[in-house]
Amino acid sequence: MRHLLLFFCALFLLSSCETEIEDFKTQNVSSAIVVYGEISNVDGPYNVRLNYVSAYSPYDATQFSGQPITDANVRLVDGNGKETAYYEKSKGYYLSPTGFKGVVGQKYKLRIKLLDGKTIESNFQTINASPELAEFSYSFKDANKVEDMRFPLTASIKDPKATEDYYFVKRQDFRQFLLTCPQPPPPPAPVPACNCKCWQAPQNTQPYLLDDFLLSGKNLSLDLGQLPYEDFNDWVVQLDVYSISKEAHTYWKRLEDQRKLSGGIFDKVPAQIIGNLKCTSNPTQEVLGYFMVGGLTQKRLTVDRFNGIPTEAYQKLLFYVDFNNVRYKDIPLWNCKDAAFIKYNLGYSLPPL
């Protein structure tokens, strides 16, 4: 009887701990507006993208990426009240006029007016001085197998003293690829030009975020990893290093932290991260994204994977390239721009810096 009484008491206590939530509300972000743009001290044009977060249509697969917002009035406003109008180059994609350039020390904000009358604005942010790269170089690491040979990359930012600084770094790799030219036609037919040397730009969407907390005035290292040595064509690494505000750094840090959630019970609860834009005409209208303002330094490093390589390592590479059909010898082409099977094919040249 005593054990039965204890069982019912425990059952009562457990049931009393349950709380029924009746006023729980979910936020519908299907009509949220997404804005992203940036401005710096380097030559433009600068872009702004506008779209709704979703607009599902079973008849149009492109709608999964969000419906573009067209015919908007997009303007950049500086601290003196001067406005610069953007033009719509394609649906939802707006560009600043040719020749316009941001000024270090000046503050800017974005102002957008949609066709339905909604007005969206960012806060003012100042373009900081351009950061300086203290080092950006590479070396060669030999190994017994080609698969294990590497080019370690080294880079660091020279941080000024006595200031609180925050950095946002984009990385874009440009990898050269070569194709095999077809057999030329028999004489006297002319031999066509074989344009088999092209570039590809694999996507890289994750930024590097740094700050000088406890390291003010010292060089801040960037962990760029290593490049493989499975070919002897060129590989170019481009870094876009921004000096940004603490507010902007916090925004990107929250996005990065949320991206890395592992699903554990001690992870932070995922939540919609709001940027520095809001709808001033309708406070209930959700606006996502960010308008980033910052000083910018851009640099490219060409990793020469042909010169300076030990002879033995190079001979191993020659065999590796032929054995693994790196040159696509089974698909000969006169023009590498026609190589649709190469992802992120840029064509013959790199975009201007």
Side-chain angles (χ1 to χ4, degrees):
M1 183 67 180
R2 180 182 178 186
H3 293 292
L4 188 62
L5 182 61
L6 289 174
F7 170 77
F8 281 113
C9 288
L11 185 64
F12 172 76
L13 288 172
L14 288 173
S15 62
S16 65
C17 291
E18 295 179 1
T19 302
E20 185 174 356
I21 302 175
E22 298 178 347
D23 59 348
F24 178 75
K25 295 180 181 179
T26 60
Q27 187 177 27
N28 181 14
V29 295
S30 61
S31 61
I33 296 170
V34 181
V35 182
Y36 182 76
E38 59 184 55
I39 180 176
S40 68
N41 56 298
V42 303
D43 294 332
Y46 311 110
N47 68 76
V48 170
R49 293 183 181 272
L50 300 177
N51 63 273
Y52 292 105
V53 74
S54 66
Y56 170 69
S57 169
Y59 308 105
D60 186 358
T62 64
Q63 293 298 302
F64 283 106
S65 61
Q67 180 185 2
I69 300 176
T70 60
D71 301 316
N73 186 317
V74 179
R75 293 178 179 271
L76 186 71
V77 184
D78 68 18
N80 301 321
K82 182 180 178 181
E83 299 186 3
T84 301
Y86 283 46
Y87 68 96
E88 188 170 11
K89 183 178 181 180
S90 58
K91 289 185 177 181
Y93 184 70
Y94 300 81
L95 289 179
S96 63
T98 302
F100 177 78
K101 183 178 178 180
V103 178
V104 172
Q106 179 62 276
K107 60 182 181 180
Y108 298 91
K109 73 175 180 178
L110 193 64
R111 179 180 293 154
I112 302 168
K113 189 169 185 180
L114 308 184
L115 281 179
D116 61 5
K118 291 189 178 78
T119 301
I120 297 169
E121 287 193 13
S122 71
N123 58 348
F124 271 115
Q125 296 178 83
T126 302
I127 295 184
N128 300 327
S130 301
E132 180 181 348
L133 279 173
E135 185 178 10
F136 193 19
S137 61
Y138 70 94
S139 58
F140 176 69
K141 183 180 179 181
D142 205 350
N144 290 327
K145 295 182 179 180
V146 173
E147 295 91 330
D148 298 327
M149 296 177 187
R150 292 289 185 269
F151 289 93
L153 301 174
T154 304
S156 61
I157 300 171
K158 187 176 182 179
D159 184 69
K161 294 181 179 180
T163 56
E164 189 176 289
D165 300 292
Y166 299 88
Y167 303 98
F168 174 96
V169 183
K170 295 179 186 178
R171 171 179 173 174
Q172 178 60 63
D173 287 33
F174 300 100
R175 182 177 178 179
Q176 196 178 67
F177 66 91
L178 303 176
L179 299 177
T180 299
C181 295
Q183 287 292 329
V191 178
C194 187
N195 300 309
C196 64
K197 186 176 180 179
C198 276
W199 293 89
Q200 63 181 147
Q203 287 186 333
N204 180 24
T205 59
Q206 304 306 325
Y208 301 89
L209 298 169
L210 297 92
D211 64 79
D212 62 354
F213 179 67
L214 299 179
L215 295 170
S216 182
K218 297 182 179 180
N219 292 345
L220 307 179
S221 298
L222 285 166
D223 183 11
L224 301 181
Q226 305 177 89
L227 301 183
Y229 183 52
E230 76 276 5
D231 203 351
F232 42 74
N233 48 6
D234 286 341
W235 192 313
V236 174
V237 180
Q238 177 177 318
L239 294 181
D240 293 0
V241 185
Y242 294 79
S243 177
I244 58 175
S245 66
K246 181 179 181 179
E247 177 190 16
H249 185 272
T250 300
Y251 171 80
W252 291 109
K253 185 68 168 59
R254 287 174 177 170
L255 284 179
E256 189 68 1
D257 289 345
Q258 188 154 294
R259 183 186 68 85
K260 293 179 179 177
L261 292 180
S262 62
I265 61 174
F266 298 108
D267 281 345
K268 297 176 182 178
V269 178
Q272 193 63 256
I273 299 173
I274 306 300
N276 64 342
L277 298 122
K278 62 181 180 180
C279 184
T280 56
S281 59
N282 181 6
T284 63
Q285 172 64 59
E286 190 79 15
V287 182
L288 307 176
Y290 207 86
F291 179 61
M292 190 165 73
V293 177
L296 172 61
T297 294
Q298 294 178 302
K299 278 196 175 181
R300 284 178 178 171
L301 174 68
T302 300
V303 178
D304 186 339
R305 304 196 297 167
F306 178 79
N307 293 305
I309 305 300
T311 302
E312 185 180 355
Y314 180 68
Q315 292 300 324
K316 290 179 181 178
L317 177 67
L318 290 178
F319 175 80
Y320 178 91
V321 167
D322 182 67
F323 182 80
N324 291 279
N325 192 17
V326 174
R327 290 286 175 271
Y328 305 100
K329 59 186 177 183
D330 298 330
I331 316 175
L333 285 175
W334 291 111
N335 187 340
C336 66
K337 290 182 70 176
D338 297 330
F341 54 90
I342 302 292
K343 290 184 177 180
Y344 315 114
N345 190 339
L346 292 180
Y348 302 132
S349 59
L350 299 181
L353 186 62

